[in-house]
Amino acid sequence: MTQPSFPIRAGAVDYKNTFTVDKDDISETKTFVRMPGRPMHNPKDEWFELVDDLEGQLLGLCDGSVGVNDIMTQFAGMSGDENQQFDKITDYDQVLFENIIRRLIRLNEHT
């Protein structure tokens, strides 16, 4: 049996937030990251835009000490439902798991 691997980022992460406010006072915030220690780092295209806060949180957790199961438990615990049964997989859990895996793959490809 193969030992589970823990997601780990390639070195330090630089975060950059930008925001734009238009004439109607509607603002748009974007978060970008770069990882100069990444083997495939390209200085010409070094900033990568995160889709949302979930990606930023996942990137912060990927320090090599936390497994996907622990990440899932942490995010599933954020639902606020104290009566949640952990022995039963709900549709919410399935969608959350798929989102986390999809985001981890995307982050692995780009950061």
Side-chain angles (χ1 to χ4, degrees), residues 17-89:
N17 289 314
T18 63
F19 67 94
T20 305
V21 179
D22 66 10
K23 63 182 178 188
D24 298 323
D25 289 333
I26 299 172
S27 65
E28 177 184 11
T29 303
K30 294 181 180 182
T31 301
F32 299 88
V33 295
R34 71 175 176 176
M35 298 178 65
R38 180 175 174 252
M40 300 299 289
H41 178 73
N42 180 357
K44 294 180 182 177
D45 187 26
E46 61 184 356
W47 291 99
F48 172 69
E49 183 177 355
L50 298 179
V51 170
D52 57 18
D53 190 45
L54 175 61
E55 284 190 350
Q57 291 180 39
L58 288 173
L59 189 58
L61 288 172
C62 293
D63 63 357
S65 67
V66 181
V68 175
N69 286 341
D70 295 328
I71 292 171
M72 271 301 301
T73 302
Q74 179 176 341
F75 282 99
M78 292 175 67
S79 68
D81 183 4
E82 295 178 9
N83 299 321
Q84 183 178 5
Q85 296 178 356
F86 289 103
D87 59 343
K88 195 180 201 183
I89 296 176

